[in-house]
Amino acid sequence: MNVSGRVINIIDLPGTYSLNPSDDAEKVALRHLFLEKPDLIINVVDASILTRSLEMTLELIELQQPMIVALNMTDLAEKKGIEINIEELQRQLGVPVVATIASHGRGIKRLLETALLCMEERRCASHLRWSKDVEDRIHDVERAIPEGFQVVANRRFTAIKSIEIEKRSFFRMLEEVSLPLKEAVDKARRELEQRHNAPAYEVIAAERHHLAMKIFEESCRVRRGKRIGWQDRVDDVIMHPLLGYPILALVFVGIFFVIFQVASPLEEFLLKPFGALRIFLGEGLGDGILFHVLDGLTQGIGGGLAIVLPYFIPLLFLMSLLEDVGYLARVGFLLDIFMHRMGLHGKSISPFILGFGCNVPAISATRILESRRDRIITSLLIPFIPCSARTTIILALVAFFLGPWWAMGFYLFNLLLVAVLGRTLSAFFKTASPGLLLEIPSLKAPSLPNVGRKIYIQLKAFVQFAWPILIAGSVVLGVMQFAGLDRVVNTLLAPLVESVLGLPRELGVTLTFGFLRKELSLIMMLQSLGVDYRNLMTVINREQLVVFTVFINFFIPCLSTFAILWKEIGRRWAFVSVALNTSIAILLSLLARLLIN
Amino acid sequence: MISLSQAPQDKQLKIVEFQGGHGLRRRLMALGLHKNDIVELDSRSILRGPLLIRHVNSDSSLALGRGIANKIIVEILDK
């Protein structure tokens, strides 16, 4: 970004509570800090929970690098009755502090100007003093660090971390590198443990905790009894042990119906011009290759615009809204016990909920889970969660032709499936899931610009990445139809498509293309069967519609999902996911055929 | 002295001890819970679900699983 004529790179790191990482997301922040060696650290601090936030600030100060503090959410702090003396805070911390209210854009300019100044002057943070005996131990270790030792950040930081770290592999490494150093570290830890009657890392953590509290007390005043009105009252209802659940159910159903009510009429309206265009092309160009290519193009573009977007955009809007308000963390609290039945716990809720938008960021989000077991189970379950592409198909096919209650039933069945599957998968893993430990942020009024930005990012990804695939896929199918290739593929797949699934043979190619992107199969279904959207039910019956939806919904995660599974949990599990999805898709399709007949 | 999961709601509680391994303690400390901190129990979920506690000083809310709450020993402070 461009600030006062200078171009600076701003890198946003995942939220971290401490430089001792407990999950993969925190490790990313740590890795970046040490490998990339930024010119300046901007520590964004939540002023409404200042003591908590300051502990991280103190850890960052130990790095002794150029650093400024952005004291954010000062409006929330004020509402809680916390008065912060910024000059005093600055004096206590020894780094510049700029008050900001990011959701309203206040203080950003001043923050960036201070940042630039700090970078130019290369003003480094200097460490704060802890209790004497702890400081003495740290000095002992510092002195034992040999020349040429690969220090992390600076000698003091290295000394502190050496005392804090509990891993055996670290001790072994120390032993190999410098025996005197290891002995000094051991001695320091022993002395701390004896003196304070607690493990060494706890002593260090306590130091930071006390220092944070001390700084807070000296630079802030709290007007007691001034609790925020509406947030607490709303929370009492939303997270009520009994009321919370019906409310959650209502929210869920509400979202569903809102999207459907908005999207269906829009879809009908937008389809007309594309239908007309196709007829026009057919009349003008006959059956040549040009027709097929242009027809494919029309279907791809039209499909994206008229079928996908009307459902996708409202879905994005509502999900971003819920996330912005802070409701999603509370859902984690409410659903924790049910997640336990699945062998997971409430923290997995966040990736699951993201999965309703798109499976790809959901699988990335499993990085917030601390145990690999949880990550794997959650990542295997996410492809069963109906992403927006699949929701679009469910709505556009099942809801549109059979009615919204059918679609609702489908959805609920889908969720039930995830629960049962979760339970089964957990049985394969021997270790239990670590308990829930989830921070619940304060409720806040949604910031529409924020929501808008979130929607924009997702939309951009769709337009740049997914839509071209839709168009290309349609064009390729068009060419295949012209060359008669599609008939070849369909014949090959006929045993599966016709005998097992009971679908018209023409859908063979469609189902395979669904691997690229699920919406593609929706559009190509129309293309393969050679019908207009509204006349779909003339060529397939109700049972086939449901079976098609079931199969497309569950079989093989789409290409992007597969790619990210491979990246996040490894090749073996990615293929396990494919096998799992395909077998369940076939099983459920058979079940559907049985039940509907 | 009782465990957090048995504590009464809406009374100030002082954390006296953490039972359990150092993995758990680390996670708790990373989230700002230390010995001698004062917390309040805001709500309990149904059945054996999680608890919602609030750290009085920093006014931050945490959801804790029942198993974890069992391992946090507190003392009720009479005001």
Side-chain angles (χ1 to χ4, degrees):
Chain A
M1 94 179 273
N2 197 318
V3 182
S4 313
R6 296 272 302 277
V7 176
I8 54 181
N9 270 345
I10 302 188
I11 300 165
D12 180 23
L13 297 175
T16 318
Y17 292 124
S18 123
L19 290 181
N20 290 321
S22 52
D23 59 46
D24 284 349
E26 294 184 351
K27 286 192 191 132
V28 168
L30 200 65
R31 200 178 300 139
H32 186 93
L33 274 178
F34 292 135
L35 287 182
E36 301 296 320
K37 297 205 212 320
D39 295 311
L40 175 79
I41 300 173
I42 302 181
N43 177 214
V44 181
V45 152
D46 182 344
S48 66
I49 48 169
L50 197 52
T51 0
R52 267 287 263 110
S53 320
L54 281 180
E55 293 194 34
M56 175 73 185
T57 311
L58 292 177
E59 276 198 79
L60 286 173
I61 289 181
E62 297 287 325
L63 290 173
Q64 294 179 37
Q65 285 177 10
M67 169 179 160
I68 64 176
V69 167
L71 191 67
N72 200 24
M73 309 214 220
T74 42
D75 52 344
L76 214 56
E78 212 185 287
K79 288 209 194 111
K80 283 193 181 182
I82 304 175
E83 290 173 6
I84 305 176
N85 182 340
I86 301 205
E87 276 93 44
E88 179 62 29
L89 185 61
Q90 213 168 255
R91 200 182 70 80
Q92 293 269 346
L93 290 175
V95 293
V97 174
V98 179
T100 56
I101 304 179
S103 53
H104 297 163
R106 297 241 200 95
I108 307 286
K109 182 151 173 282
R110 184 135 175 265
L111 179 70
L112 289 170
E113 286 168 1
T114 314
L116 256 163
L117 199 63
C118 219
M119 277 196 280
E120 276 164 20
E121 297 178 3
R122 284 219 58 93
R123 227 186 302 158
C124 295
S126 47
H127 72 85
L128 303 168
R129 294 194 65 80
W130 291 347
S131 323
K132 179 156 196 326
D133 74 302
V134 178
E135 286 283 346
D136 287 341
R137 301 286 80 76
I138 297 177
H139 283 315
D140 289 342
V141 175
E142 252 186 275
R143 258 172 296 162
I145 299 179
E147 283 302 316
F149 183 82
Q150 190 81 315
V151 289
V152 178
N154 55 63
R155 295 173 73 90
R156 179 188 164 87
F157 186 81
T158 312
I160 296 176
K161 283 298 171 226
S162 305
I163 298 177
E164 272 187 301
I165 295 182
E166 292 273 323
K167 286 203 159 69
R168 243 184 308 224
S169 49
F170 178 71
F171 296 145
R172 257 180 279 139
M173 185 216 66
L174 266 190
E175 226 164 24
E176 287 169 25
V177 170
S178 162
L179 197 53
L181 177 56
K182 175 165 189 305
E183 285 171 351
V185 170
D186 283 342
K187 179 161 172 283
R189 298 181 75 215
R190 259 198 320 267
E191 287 173 359
L192 283 176
E193 279 166 30
Q194 276 171 353
R195 173 90 183 251
H196 294 260
N197 225 350
Y201 70 87
E202 216 178 289
V203 176
I204 306 268
E207 284 292 314
R208 284 195 200 104
H209 186 67
H210 289 140
L211 193 52
M213 295 227 282
K214 173 168 161 282
I215 295 178
F216 176 75
E217 276 159 27
E218 292 189 13
S219 49
C220 305
R221 262 188 22 218
V222 184
R223 290 193 311 269
R224 289 263 171 235
K226 197 156 198 283
R227 293 274 300 273
I228 329 167
W230 69 270
Q231 268 116 324
D232 280 348
R233 271 195 285 266
V234 172
D235 255 339
D236 281 340
V237 176
I238 294 183
M239 297 215 270
H240 191 268
L242 289 175
L243 279 180
Y245 295 98
I247 292 182
L248 180 59
L250 259 158
V251 169
F252 174 71
V253 170
I255 292 183
F256 208 87
F257 273 90
V258 164
I259 298 180
F260 187 65
Q261 297 293 12
V262 167
S264 279
L266 201 60
E267 177 184 23
E268 287 233 49
F269 173 71
L270 287 172
L271 277 174
K272 290 202 184 80
F274 289 100
L277 182 59
R278 291 188 66 208
I279 297 178
F280 173 72
L281 284 174
E283 284 168 4
L285 297 171
D287 203 24
I289 179 119
L290 188 62
F291 165 71
H292 279 282
V293 169
L294 286 177
D295 188 49
L297 211 60
T298 314
Q299 295 235 36
I301 298 178
L305 191 63
I307 303 181
V308 177
L309 285 183
Y311 293 100
F312 193 51
I313 295 183
L315 183 67
L316 281 181
F317 175 72
L318 288 171
M319 301 249 320
S320 307
L321 197 69
L322 281 184
E323 185 197 23
D324 209 50
V325 167
Y327 188 57
L328 293 192
R330 290 161 168 76
V331 173
F333 173 78
L334 288 170
L335 293 183
D336 181 67
I337 3 166
F338 301 110
M339 303 290 282
H340 264 289
R341 297 291 170 83
M342 282 164 48
L344 292 169
H345 64 64
K347 221 171 178 192
S348 298
I349 269 290
S350 296
F352 275 162
I353 296 200
L354 279 177
F356 280 93
C358 174
N359 287 350
V360 177
I363 293 178
S364 293
T366 56
R367 290 193 197 157
I368 59 169
L369 301 172
E370 295 129 344
S371 80
R372 179 155 167 86
R373 167 205 183 273
D374 281 359
R375 284 199 68 191
I376 294 179
I377 298 183
T378 310
S379 299
L380 286 178
L381 287 176
I382 286 177
F384 285 96
I385 294 190
C387 64
S388 48
R390 279 179 257 178
T391 307
T392 305
I393 297 181
I394 296 175
L395 288 169
L397 282 182
V398 179
F400 195 77
F401 291 109
L402 300 178
W405 290 107
W406 270 84
M408 186 97 244
F410 192 99
Y411 233 78
L412 285 173
F413 169 73
N414 200 338
L415 298 178
L416 194 66
L417 176 72
V418 172
V420 171
L421 210 55
R423 191 63 192 277
T424 322
L425 285 175
S426 295
F428 283 97
F429 288 80
K430 307 245 176 28
T431 51
S433 171
L436 174 71
L437 202 54
L438 179 64
E439 187 175 35
I440 310 280
S442 333
L443 275 177
K444 64 185 205 33
S447 146
L448 285 176
N450 258 356
V451 171
R453 260 173 250 135
K454 287 181 197 171
I455 297 179
Y456 174 70
I457 295 178
Q458 300 262 52
L459 259 184
K460 200 164 100 144
F462 175 77
V463 169
Q464 283 181 337
F465 184 68
W467 206 346
I469 295 185
L470 285 179
I471 299 176
S474 289
V475 173
V476 168
L477 181 61
V479 173
M480 280 177 81
Q481 280 175 326
F482 173 73
L485 268 176
D486 61 334
R487 252 170 289 139
V488 174
V489 177
N490 286 337
T491 319
L492 281 171
L493 293 172
L496 172 68
V497 179
E498 269 181 333
S499 320
V500 176
L501 299 174
L503 294 172
R505 176 186 292 222
E506 290 83 2
L507 292 180
V509 178
T510 305
L511 290 178
T512 26
F513 270 71
F515 173 60
L516 280 176
R517 260 205 89 81
K518 303 273 172 160
E519 302 100 315
L520 196 55
S521 22
L522 175 62
I523 296 166
M524 293 175 86
M525 174 172 79
L526 302 172
Q527 223 176 327
S528 301
L529 294 173
V531 287
D532 228 17
Y533 183 62
R534 264 158 300 157
N535 302 328
L536 183 61
M537 293 309 271
T538 57
V539 286
I540 60 172
N541 61 41
R542 188 174 66 177
E543 170 205 319
Q544 289 174 316
L545 184 72
V546 175
V547 169
F548 179 78
T549 313
V550 167
F551 191 75
I552 278 295
N553 215 14
F554 295 118
F555 110 110
I556 302 188
C558 70
L559 183 63
S560 343
T561 308
F562 180 72
I564 197 128
L565 272 174
W566 187 314
K567 178 165 172 271
E568 293 285 327
I569 55 173
R571 183 181 58 172
R572 177 164 78 112
W573 289 106
F575 279 107
V576 167
S577 180
V578 171
L580 191 65
N581 275 70
T582 313
S583 32
I584 293 206
I586 296 180
L587 259 155
L588 287 177
S589 304
L590 288 173
L591 193 68
R593 286 191 75 186
L594 225 67
L595 286 175
I596 297 189
N597 266 339
Chain B
M1 290 203 307
I2 48 176
S3 78
L4 188 52
S5 43
Q6 299 164 312
Q9 245 168 276
D10 299 323
K11 276 226 154 77
Q12 298 220 329
L13 312 162
K14 181 160 105 163
I15 298 181
V16 169
E17 196 195 335
F18 292 133
Q19 291 174 345
H22 75 82
L24 176 62
R25 295 191 205 198
R26 261 188 201 278
R27 292 172 69 205
L28 290 172
M29 287 196 281
L31 283 176
L33 280 184
H34 288 73
K35 266 196 253 208
N36 296 328
D37 278 353
I38 302 184
V39 299
E40 260 183 47
L41 182 61
D42 270 348
S43 142
R44 278 191 173 83
S45 181
I46 54 174
L47 306 175
R48 276 170 299 158
L51 280 72
L52 192 63
I53 65 170
R54 195 168 39 88
H55 193 270
V56 165
N57 255 333
S58 58
D59 213 12
S60 53
S61 294
L62 278 182
L64 298 176
R66 204 54 78 112
I68 294 185
N70 283 338
K71 298 188 183 145
I72 301 178
I73 311 297
V74 296
E75 185 182 271
I76 308 177
L77 294 178
D78 307 301
K79 262 280 187 76

